[in-house]
Amino acid sequence: MLFDAGKRIGPELTGSQRTNLDYVLDNVLDPSAAVARDYQMTQIVLMDGRLLTGIVVEETEQTLTLQSPTERLTLAKADMDERERSPLSMMPEGLLNSLSGQDARDLVGYLASPQQVPLPPGAK
């Protein structure tokens, strides 16, 4: 999330060091270099063999709530066969690889802006 916009999947970016170019590039170029414990992914193998990956956002004695990039799932712990914390970030590696030079500059500029940037005309 940035300026209260977006989904709550990873850390809130508004108060981070996003105006520090070295910090932004370090985190975008190597997102798994330093992942805060609250944002480390967990891999869960269910008794039926399915593999789920996401961030544990809530846990009780009986259930675990997992936030994936696309959905939030509450699982019964009795249905879990294996559980392992991963050192990897949910943010994909190589994020800038598919962007043009201008698009990469625009992304970094957007992240560093002091206020929310209006969407371009016609964007949804």
Side-chain angles (χ1 to χ4, degrees), residues 53-113:
T53 303
I55 296 171
V56 176
V57 293
E58 189 176 327
E59 186 169 1
T60 69
E61 285 188 32
Q62 292 83 27
T63 65
L64 178 140
T65 301
L66 194 70
Q67 176 67 57
S68 78
T70 58
E71 62 185 336
R72 184 175 285 223
L73 303 166
T74 299
L75 310 166
K77 286 185 175 179
D79 294 338
M80 295 168 39
D81 185 36
E82 296 176 35
R83 175 181 174 180
E84 183 178 344
R85 188 180 298 263
S86 169
L88 300 177
S89 170
M90 190 179 291
M91 186 164 77
E93 300 242 352
L95 184 65
L96 298 180
N97 294 350
S98 64
L99 299 179
S100 69
Q102 184 60 52
D103 287 345
R105 284 188 291 279
D106 289 346
L107 174 61
V108 172
Y110 169 72
L111 290 173
S113 67

